[in-house]
Amino acid sequence: MTAYRARLTEIDIRRLIKATDADERAAAAHKLCRSMDKADLHDEDREAAQKILRMLAQDAAELVRRAMAVTLKSSDLIPNDVARKLAADVDSVALPMINFSPAFSDEDLIEIVQAGSPLRQVAVAGRPGVGRDVATVLAEVGCEQAVRTLASNDNADVAEAALGRCIDRFGTSPEIVAAIAYRQVLPLSVTERLVELASEAVREHLVTRHAVAPETAIRLAAFARERATVDLVDQASNHADLPQFVANLNARRVLTASLLLRALARGQMTLFEHGVAELAGTPHARAWLMIHDAGPLGLKAIYDRAGLPPRLFQAYRAGVDTWRTLQAEGADTSGDSFRQQMLERFLTQRPNAPREDLAYLMERLDHDPAPIKAQISAAA
C-alpha cells in the first residue's frame, strides 16, 4: 500500500508540476487529494501530504485550489494554516472550507464572521456544529440570512441571550421568528417573546411543543379565542404541574365545559380529570375514582358537582366510554396515534355536542375525515 501510494503521489505530482492546462492540474489535484484522504497515513506520510496541500493552496489556478477545497472540505487532513489561507480566497474556494472544515478554531470562525461577508457568515452559521461563542457573535453581527441559518441549525449551541439578541435585531422577520420557534429546545423566556411575534401557525407550534406560562396561553384568547382553546388543550400536556395549570385556567374563567369536552374527545383524560376536580372542589384522587371506578353513577355525580351543563352529559359519557374501550383494547393512551383513534371513535358515535365543538374536533383530525364528517352532518 505504501509503495502504491508513493507511485500514485509521484505520478500525480508530476502531472501537477508539468501540466500547463488548469483543467488537467485540477483533475490531478482532485485525484491526489481523494487518494490522500482515504489513505491510512502515518505521521511521516501525513506531514508529506500536508506539504503537498500547501503547494496546492498556492497554485495560481482557482480551479486547482477549488478542487482541493471541495475534495477535502470535511477532512481532518488539511492543517489550520492551509484552511485559513483557503478561507481568505475567493468565494468558490473559501465557502466549502468555511462551511465544513474541522481545521478551524472558534477564534478563526469568529474572525471570519466579524469580517462581515454575508456569504461567509451564512457558511459559518450552517456548519455541522457551531460553538456557543461563535453563535453569540453571529447573533450580534451576522446578516439576516446568517441569523436565519443559525436559528435553523439545531447543531448550533445558541445561548438564551444570543437567541434574545436575534429577536431584538430581526423580530419583524417572519422567517427568523419561525426558524427560532422550530428549534428543538427553547428557553421559556424566548418562547414567551416569540408568542407575541409569531404567525398563528407558528404560535400554535410554540404552545403545543414548548412550555409557556398559563397566563401567556390564556392571553392569546384576547385576539384568537377559538385558536386559544386549541392552544390550551395542547399546552396542558407540556406542564408538569397540571393541577396548577388547571387552577390558573379556572381563576381566569376559561376552564369551560367546551374546553373539557374537547380535551376529553382528544384523549386528554388527565386534563379532563383535573379540570373536573378543580370545578368540583375535590381532590384529583376522588375525581379519578368517581370517573373511572364508581359504577355507572359515579361520573354523573362528579359531573353534577362540577356544575357542568346537564345537556352535555351524554357527550361526556361517550367520551369516557370511548377512552375506556380503547384502553381495554391495549391502545397506548399517551401517543399521538391515540388522539387520532380517540377522535375518530368519538365522532362516529354521533355525540350530542354543540356544533362548534364538533367542528373544532373534526378540524383536529390528522387524516381525511370525510366519512366521519358525513355522519356528523347527518346527525346535526
Side-chain angles (χ1 to χ4, degrees), residues 50-332:
Q50 291 180 343
K51 287 181 180 178
I52 295 171
L53 296 180
R54 291 186 177 94
M55 180 186 72
L56 291 177
Q58 298 186 47
D59 195 290
E62 175 187 332
L63 195 59
V64 173
R65 304 192 306 276
R66 175 168 169 75
M68 178 175 66
V70 171
T71 306
L72 297 179
K73 64 183 180 182
S74 300
S75 174
D76 63 358
L77 183 60
I78 290 193
N80 178 262
D81 61 299
V82 174
R84 286 176 59 87
K85 183 175 180 61
L86 295 176
D89 210 320
V90 296
D91 285 346
S92 65
V93 176
L95 293 178
M97 293 297 300
I98 295 171
N99 198 190
F100 292 99
S101 178
F104 297 109
S105 66
D106 279 1
E107 290 73 20
D108 295 330
L109 296 172
I110 288 172
E111 183 180 326
I112 291 169
V113 171
Q114 290 176 332
S117 164
L119 285 176
R120 298 178 190 217
Q121 290 179 343
V122 171
V124 171
R127 285 172 60 85
V130 180
R132 178 163 290 209
D133 292 342
V134 178
T136 297
V137 175
L138 277 164
E140 187 63 41
V141 304
C143 67
E144 182 171 346
Q145 183 58 44
V147 171
R148 180 181 177 183
T149 302
L150 177 70
S152 301
N153 186 354
D154 272 313
N155 292 318
D157 182 7
V158 190
E160 182 174 350
L163 288 171
R165 186 61 181 141
C166 292
I167 298 172
D168 290 341
R169 296 180 62 210
F170 299 110
T172 58
S173 167
E175 293 81 8
I176 289 180
V177 168
I180 297 174
Y182 280 88
R183 289 184 65 79
Q184 291 181 1
V185 178
L186 281 180
L188 179 60
S189 65
V190 174
T191 305
E192 294 285 298
R193 292 188 65 185
L194 291 176
V195 163
E196 303 294 339
L197 301 171
S199 66
E200 183 175 310
V202 175
R203 186 182 300 118
E204 180 174 352
H205 170 82
L206 282 168
V207 298
T208 301
R209 299 298 180 187
H210 299 285
V212 299
E215 293 83 355
T216 300
I218 294 166
R219 191 167 65 247
L220 300 178
F223 56 89
R225 186 168 186 82
E226 186 65 22
R227 186 53 54 189
T229 303
V230 175
D231 293 340
L232 292 173
V233 171
D234 287 337
Q235 179 60 198
S237 61
N238 292 332
H239 280 267
D241 191 356
L242 189 55
Q244 184 59 50
F245 182 83
V246 169
N248 281 329
L249 298 184
N250 193 31
R252 290 163 178 79
R253 298 185 179 182
V254 290
L255 187 63
T256 62
S258 179
L259 185 143
L260 289 180
L261 179 60
R262 296 176 182 196
L264 177 60
R266 293 187 60 207
Q268 297 270 25
M269 177 59 78
T270 307
L271 173 58
F272 171 67
E273 293 165 358
H274 280 282
V276 170
E278 172 70 22
L279 292 175
T282 191
H284 172 254
R286 180 171 176 78
W288 185 95
L289 185 67
M290 299 294 286
I291 293 169
H292 295 289
D293 200 30
L297 300 180
L299 176 62
K300 184 66 165 65
I302 192 70
Y303 184 92
D304 290 342
R305 182 169 179 176
L308 294 168
R311 63 185 178 84
L312 294 182
F313 176 72
Q314 290 305 320
Y316 279 93
R317 173 86 271 172
V320 171
D321 290 346
T322 299
W323 191 90
R324 286 178 180 168
T325 299
L326 287 171
Q327 185 187 46
E329 292 173 0
D332 176 7

